[in-house]
């Protein structure tokens, strides 16, 4: 309530009470003011009252919530169901303006402001996670795969004639499909085995760049976060190659933002070589529902090109989720999650190592994968392996994968041997498990119990 | 509560009371059962209690809400903020599975079910609006522009080598941009004037098909809903051409779904010629927040190709909005909105005609545009025209456009004269206003009042 | 957002957009300002956005929502469950201060303000419904029965030695029980039959006052709203008696506030005689959940005594319900409900009269009951009558009553013959139905259908 | 979703996915089933999903949510504002039936069931906190003061002629006022000083019982939880007296339920003597908004009398708050709060002792008060003492009290010297602070900082 309302309130309630209340309300206003001054994630998370207060004030800045608005256009953000209006905090205009995702929308100052702030928050988050160079971010309401498409589209617009993507193999379907969705041709460079770990074949990439001709290469696409025993790509060396051959470097950093060691390598890659665009999932890194990705770049112009490649407006829903979540967590909250994850990763490794030992198996060594791990499954008959996946699934263990090395797959015309393993010839079947952000002791305990049940007879 | 719980309840509350309550609860269950049997929009809208009941039951079918779930993957739909979880009714997994939007997700049976039902609802809606042929729909969490991109991507995959899009000019930026975003080249066919109205230059299109060569043409793109005095494209004749030359026909039906006359023409076009894909905005037609589009096709395989072009999962938020809205409205509620809109269109025409008469202007005749209308602005100095747009804007009139015919624009390398008018040489500047779904008497009254204020001196 | 925040916003979003948004936000502030200036129910109802905005701003004025509050008392309105906090819009302190319901609470300026405003709204509502004399209201978080107790307590404090309540019989248990709960002795004056209608035995009351001695009479209690064929008490004549003998007059106006004819009679009673306290249910008159009552008086001091009789704080929940509802409806919304109810009453009478005619029964004439009506049930065997009540109940007809005249009851030591009929000897069994505020055509249609089914054989 | 719906779901989503989902949904049902079997607070708290699921299922059992209900009564729980309906989870019928709070309501099986369960939960809670004897509880939607009135009303109904309440002085206004609100006469027995502590004058009470005559004494009212340096009353000795003289014993246990030592003494009092009724605040003990109290008794019949004393229905809102909160916390959650409070009490004592030492003051010794503590304020000029209270208040310290021993007060005709101190002649002014349930380290830290600021000059 404004000054005047507070004065009027004092006609009904003693002045001293109102005075104290006014001072207190003022602290909330001040909090918003500070947010707008600094445009950064708050140090400490906000309570829900403050978050909803801000959301409601932003919503009032959109024309569909103006009291005397009259809408004579074809798109006026009228919402038929009050359940729907409510769940969007009365926002309806989405983000973007015909030509550009990041352009403010005249009908929706509040939505536009939320979007701008969210992008600033994300830049702040990159800094928090170890990126020291100036980085620009836009949050797109597209999941990782489609964001990779958008990134390649943007690269294409400034690199006519180049349509080959050199791709360090990572067996995730949507990632590979994004290349052909973007109208490009993929050249797959298989990973190289080193001990248990699968690593980037940097020479292989070099060879392909030369073969194809650098000017025909739209980009090299590397991946940081993946299922063990595949390691985070050697992005530093690839970055050097890209710099040397003047070829863009697109990093699929799907769930690497949650890990400081990965972010540190990205920073290093940027320093020693070339990194053009980074794509990271919001749901995998920020604990929001599926639906958004952060596209980041050290090159502001390039990022603007990405933003302009998106034709038309887009859903504001994934933006709101991230906006709320970062206000809720604050920097300290996010760091806490990050640190806890590292601990849980250790815990999970230990526990899984024990299980493995008990059944004559072992944890595969993949020191450059900080999130996922793999346990060998060498003792079981090959044709029973998949049934173990099903057993875990029906016992509500989600997210583990059993790789029996027997799946051959053709995707968009490309053949893959041993699909799922990111290489053509790995010799030990295995299962993977990850300790991703938000994983709890309970998750690990339950997992261990069920593992013991399923593999019990072997113990 | 199940049978057993009801029995237990009777230990605390008299049996007869519980009996009546059980029967009543049963009606709600029955309602859900019927929905699953028929997979159609209910005749009458549901109340919020039933909608939320169904949402909560679906959410319980997703693994992130399983009581004993343990998540060891990199993506487990954990949600950090309870505000975010709440606004998504505890759904988190989005839709789709790496390769295919429409493929059920093993971790999310509830989300998958909601998606399948929503798509069925949309097919039902097309029927309701006049499409008699069998049509398939998928709701994509992308706005119109990006959905056009996806549609062209799908066409490309089955039509290698074809990359020209013949486009009947419609001055909406995102629409034109979608062509280059899809990696295609646009050939613009200007509209033809007929009286006040701007119509499709069917011969122009024919000429271009021949010039380019049908096998190089990815598709002809027409538009149904647009700003007056441009008319709905002559989709029937274009469809014939497309059939004759075996060229795909993509219809940008952005906000045409709300109008039976448009839908009727689409049905006719399909009967007499060729219609491959239809794209319509959910926010413009269904009164939900910006963020989704319906891609429809009479060819199930083609639609599946579209669905498979989308790499990876996607936001479930726009799906939920449509699902809720269609349950809320029911068929009768939607039809009521549709009919009211037609009435409001008439009302707006009359009122605007009066205003026009009072200031020596007139309503331009565009009988084939059932949603938008234009009033000439011939009496005002050309250089003041834009200020009238601004005057409306600051008085909270949103959605009207003033076209002064003086804007020349270059988009993606293509030059457009008189941008905004959909033709190179229109001779009367004008302003547009639309009566779109959800428009109210209040909107029209307020608009008239403000118009009178602004143009008052001229009266 | 305040001025400063708006300025800061213009760093991220164009100034003109922010300007328009600021003006629009300002309208909402202005709306609140006006409410605080006038302290009256708004003419037109507010939208939910405005209501929730005001609630959130009031909540911020309570100490439990102060950002830097530290609570070292035994009662700090901490709330354990966020579901609970949310459903109370973060209010927790209730209303009142140890000695007085209506006294502002230092820890809760916002709650106190809401309470003061709500009471003002109610005074405004009384005016709207026809009370011209100055009236004071307090909303108590007690249902009607307990509010009658509180009213009698207040009368007692200023009338020591008087403990007899002369009560014009109305067969509603909680009403009669309230007398003994207040530590008083009831003297029952049976109603008098006039045609079908049961009316106040004014002479009977006079006789009892004389018998007991006016100074021993705490009050005469009359009732306005009741089941037909009992009429609204002759409150004008009773008021005259009370004035003549200097005896307080307590009117149980449980659901009379919704009817202008009743309110008009109250106004008249006050003019010609004595009316001390009026008690009306909030759920019955204002369409809120059960839990509150309005105690009104033309005597401000007496009302203050009532307020001070309530020891300690009380729930703020029923206050919030009324506050929200009156903002939501506005005066026009409430009047519309009131007028619709009158129409539905007519409709129900007609329909029920038809049904009655069809089965050889009739509507009893009770012209002075504007809400309830009764249909004779003379043709059915006396011992089957009750089963008809049960039949209606199990068919989800709620609120009707079958009076078979055979129930004799002892309540708090007092014997009642023909309990339910408000008199000792009525000769026709009957069933009652009411058209109360909020009743719909659907209610009436369904009722008729089920009546026909049940009484079908007789037709 | 029921069995049949799950089968139907398998037409749209793979059977195996549905199977897993069904099993998981089943766990939630099982959880509700177990609750209904055991009728006890769950060991571990439920998540919000389960709580809201249960609430929605209960709401569906109330007639206002029946799909085909038609309401022809005067009270049909129609709710005008959807905001109001939503915040009550669509419950509207309140609790109770004309004659009896605890009697199930035919129109509201769900509300009735919730109420029954809540009362059972409370009995379970008493057990958890140390009561071994069988105890019965009802939750009344009245705060403590009014609940004391109701308790005395009930005692009166079985003890005609007795209207004196012997009251061990405790300076809390609403508590004393409740006696006269109940139509009784209070006899105040001042406390006795022992060291710093103020204790029950058991002989004084004995003397008064004899003076008045036991049969004229309605009850002795003692208090357990109060501001230091007053101690918890010597309820064991008073219980013995009450037993000996056959006089009811009413214990105002306002915020004693949160402390095991207090509950232990109540158990002991019951064993060695007589305890009739216990009244405890829900907001003070259970962290819900103000508005409810638990009335408990070891005598089931007496409790039923209390329940029947309440005339009419009552608000269900405070019941819902407690129901949700106990499900949310579970036994383990409540015990955790209880244990933390004990720790915080120690912490606060230490910190306050330090502050006191620094300014030449001391903590008064009141070992029998486990929640509140007092610090002497002997060094400050008497006439400045109150300003220190104000200083704390404007710095958002809530709940502390400064007792300057100079306030003389007349309440309901009774004069009190040194109001606030619970005795006529205490010689040291002081301030009090409490560590009540839910107090946090932050509260204590902030308090200390502000104390230091205010008393800084003295240090």
């Amino acid at each position: 309530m404004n000054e005047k309302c507070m004065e009027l309130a004092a006609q009904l309630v003693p002045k001293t009470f109102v005075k104290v209340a006014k001072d207190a309300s003022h602290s909330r206003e001040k909090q918003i003011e500070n947010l707008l001054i600094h445009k950064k994630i708050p140090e400490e998370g906000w309570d829900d009252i403050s978050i909803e207060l801000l959301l409601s004030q932003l919503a009032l800045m959109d024309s569909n919530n103006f009291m005397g608005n009259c809408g004579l256009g074809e798109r006026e953000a009228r919402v038929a169901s009050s359940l729907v209006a409510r769940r969007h905090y009365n926002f309806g205009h989405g983000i973007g303006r015909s030509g550009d995702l990041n352009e403010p929308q005249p009908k929706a100052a509040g939505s536009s402001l939320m979007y701008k702030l969210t992008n600033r928050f994300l830049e702040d988050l990159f800094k928090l996670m170890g990126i020291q160079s100036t980085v620009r971010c836009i949050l797109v309401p597209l999941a990782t795969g489609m964001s990779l498409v958008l990134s390649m589209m943007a690269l294409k617009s400034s690199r006519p004639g180049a349509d080959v993507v050199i791709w360090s193999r990572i067996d995730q379907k949507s990632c590979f499909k994004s290349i052909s969705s973007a109208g490009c041709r993929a050249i797959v460079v298989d990973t190289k085995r080193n001990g248990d770990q699968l690593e980037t074949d940097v020479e292989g990439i070099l060879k392909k760049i030369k073969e194809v001709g650098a000017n025909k290469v739209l980009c090299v696409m590397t991946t940081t976060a993946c299922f063990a025993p595949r390691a985070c790509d050697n992005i530093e060396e690839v970055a050097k190659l890209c710099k040397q051959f003047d070829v863009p470097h697109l990093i699929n950093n799907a769930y690497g933002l949650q890990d400081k060691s990965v972010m540190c390598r990205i920073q290093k890659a940027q320093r020693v070589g070339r990194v053009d665009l980074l794509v990271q999932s919001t749901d995998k890194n920020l604990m929001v529902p599926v639906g958004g990705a952060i596209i980041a770049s050290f090159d502001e112009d390039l990022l603007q090109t990405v933003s302009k490649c998106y034709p038309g407006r887009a859903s504001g829903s994934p933006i709101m989720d991230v906006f709320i979540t970062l206000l809720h967590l604050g920097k300290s909250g996010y760091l806490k999650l990050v640190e806890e994850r590292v601990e849980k990763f250790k815990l999970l490794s230990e526990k899984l190592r024990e299980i493995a030992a008990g059944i004559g198996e072992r944890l595969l060594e993949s020191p450059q994968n900080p999130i996922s791990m793999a346990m060998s499954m060498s003792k079981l008959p090959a044709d029973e392996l998949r049934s173990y996946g099903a057993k875990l699934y029906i016992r509500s263990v989600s997210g583990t994968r059993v790789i029996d090395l027997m799946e051959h797959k053709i995707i968009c015309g490309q053949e893959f041997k041993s699909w799922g393993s990111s290489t053509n010839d790995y010799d030990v079947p295995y299962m993977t498990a990850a300790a991703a952000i938000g994983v709890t002791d309970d998750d690990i305990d339950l997992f261990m119990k069920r593992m013991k049940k399923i593999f019990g007879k072997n113990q």
Side-chain angles (χ1 to χ4, degrees), chain A:
Chain A
M1 299 214 294
N2 62 23
E3 196 74 19
K4 181 121 183 244
C5 289
M6 286 291 182
E7 262 172 54
L8 288 161
Q11 295 176 359
L12 295 168
V13 171
K15 223 172 185 147
T16 47
F17 301 1
V18 173
K19 168 80 177 64
V20 173
K22 197 173 76 177
D23 293 350
S25 297
H26 194 65
S27 318
R28 301 263 180 195
E29 271 180 44
K30 200 78 202 163
Q31 200 184 22
I32 293 178
E33 218 175 284
N34 281 327
L35 193 81
L36 288 169
I37 290 171
H38 300 297
K39 302 168 190 75
K40 295 200 162 149
I41 306 171
E43 289 301 323
E44 297 300 319
W46 286 15
D47 64 10
D48 286 356
I49 295 178
S50 286
I51 294 174
E52 294 198 306
L53 187 71
L54 177 54
L55 287 172
S56 75
Q57 295 192 352
L58 290 173
L60 290 183
M61 295 174 72
D62 279 14
S63 68
N64 56 316
N65 299 318
F66 291 179
M67 287 180 75
N69 195 64
C70 62
L72 278 303
E74 82 290 9
R75 163 177 270 178
E76 296 293 343
R78 293 182 188 103
V79 175
S81 157
S82 67
L83 293 180
V84 172
R86 171 168 295 273
R87 81 180 204 83
H88 291 285
Y89 287 95
N90 300 304
F91 287 91
H93 273 295
I95 51 158
R97 196 178 176 182
S98 18
D100 189 340
L101 262 193
N102 208 9
E103 200 180 332
Q105 168 55 244
K107 290 187 192 174
S111 296
S112 304
L113 190 53
M114 177 163 61
Y115 190 37
K116 294 281 179 190
L117 282 170
T118 305
N119 287 338
R120 294 291 188 97
F121 287 179
L122 292 170
E123 289 160 15
D124 199 27
L125 187 67
F126 272 66
K127 211 166 149 186
L128 186 73
M129 291 305 291
I131 302 297
Q132 289 138 9
S133 310
T134 304
V135 74
R136 290 281 165 238
C137 294
I138 52 165
L139 178 49
V140 293
L142 298 169
T144 319
M146 201 66 179
S147 300
L148 290 169
V149 174
L150 194 67
S151 300
M152 287 181 269
M153 279 177 184
L155 292 174
K156 269 174 119 172
S157 76
S158 60
R159 208 170 164 83
D163 70 344
V164 168
V165 173
I166 296 176
W167 184 65
S168 177
R169 178 171 171 185
I170 161 73
D171 287 3
Q172 212 191 344
K173 208 169 164 190
S174 66
C175 172
F176 181 70
K177 286 189 67 170
S178 70
I179 297 170
S180 64
S181 289
C184 299
R185 190 162 56 89
I187 291 185
V188 182
V189 178
D190 204 7
T191 53
K192 271 192 343 188
R193 185 150 175 191
N194 179 2
D196 289 333
Q197 189 166 266
L198 293 166
E199 301 179 354
T200 318
D201 180 3
V202 181
E203 269 117 76
I205 291 172
L206 168 63
K207 210 176 117 198
K208 289 295 176 190
I209 294 177
K210 286 184 177 160
E211 251 178 58
V212 175
N215 61 331
K216 292 280 180 208
V217 178
L218 181 71
C219 65
V220 179
M221 196 197 298
T222 54
T223 300
T224 56
C226 54
F227 298 112
R230 191 193 186 282
C232 169
D233 267 323
N234 190 341
I235 51 176
E236 299 90 332
E237 289 307 312
V238 174
K240 284 186 198 161
L241 277 189
C242 288
K243 193 174 183 184
Q244 185 185 343
F245 289 91
D246 200 21
V247 164
H249 183 194
L250 168 59
I251 300 182
N252 176 6
N253 188 33
Y255 45 106
L257 176 58
Q258 70 191 279
D259 187 75
K260 285 191 172 180
S261 71
V262 167
M263 295 310 284
C264 203
R265 292 185 66 176
I266 288 174
Q267 174 60 69
K268 195 177 162 203
Q270 144 76 1
R271 213 156 27 221
V272 301
R274 176 168 178 170
V275 172
D276 292 75
L277 288 167
L278 298 159
V279 171
Q280 28 273 313
S281 155
T282 54
D283 77 282
K284 287 177 181 164
N285 291 293
L286 299 178
M287 298 179 74
V288 293
V290 168
I294 307 158
I295 306 184
S297 180
F298 299 102
D299 174 350
E300 187 161 0
D301 293 341
L302 177 56
L303 199 68
Q304 213 168 328
T305 307
V306 173
S307 165
K308 287 191 173 167
C309 262
Y310 192 102
R313 293 200 203 170
S315 171
S317 191
I319 281 79
M320 185 184 290
D321 290 341
V322 170
F323 184 66
I324 293 173
T325 300
L326 291 178
L327 287 174
H328 167 71
L329 291 172
K331 280 182 196 167
S332 65
Y334 191 73
L335 281 183
K336 197 161 162 265
L337 284 170
V338 162
E339 284 153 19
E340 279 173 5
R341 193 203 67 76
V342 172
E343 282 169 33
K344 299 308 167 219
F345 179 80
K346 276 183 212 149
L347 181 68
L348 180 62
S349 313
E350 283 162 26
K351 297 271 183 186
L352 202 57
R353 205 179 292 276
E354 275 174 40
I355 294 264
I359 57 173
E361 302 286 356
R362 62 191 188 79
L363 224 59
L364 303 180
E365 297 302 322
S366 50
Q368 278 156 54
N369 190 323
I371 294 171
S372 171
M373 61 195 70
M375 182 188 85
S376 67
M377 290 181 77
S378 56
K379 298 280 185 297
L380 295 162
D383 57 351
E384 279 184 24
L385 285 170
R386 282 195 199 190
S387 74
Y388 281 81
K391 278 176 191 170
L392 287 163
Y393 174 68
I394 61 170
R395 278 168 183 79
S396 294
V397 175
S398 63
T400 56
R401 292 192 169 197
V402 170
I403 303 298
D404 62 4
L405 305 173
M406 302 200 313
E407 192 173 5
H408 291 233
K409 207 160 196 165
I410 297 173
I411 305 175
C412 306
Q414 171 82 33
E415 207 188 331
F416 292 96
K417 279 181 63 184
S418 303
W419 175 256
S421 73
S422 295
T423 191
N424 282 331
D425 31 34
Y426 205 75
D427 55 355
V428 196
Y430 55 87
M431 66 172 287
T432 68
I437 197 163
V439 71
T440 63
D441 283 341
D442 270 9
D443 285 312
I444 297 172
D445 282 358
L446 281 171
F447 177 47
M448 290 306 144
K449 272 183 202 146
R450 290 170 194 173
M451 283 292 283
K452 278 175 192 159
K453 224 167 208 169
I454 290 168
F455 292 98
K457 54 173 198 277
N458 310 31
Q459 274 188 291

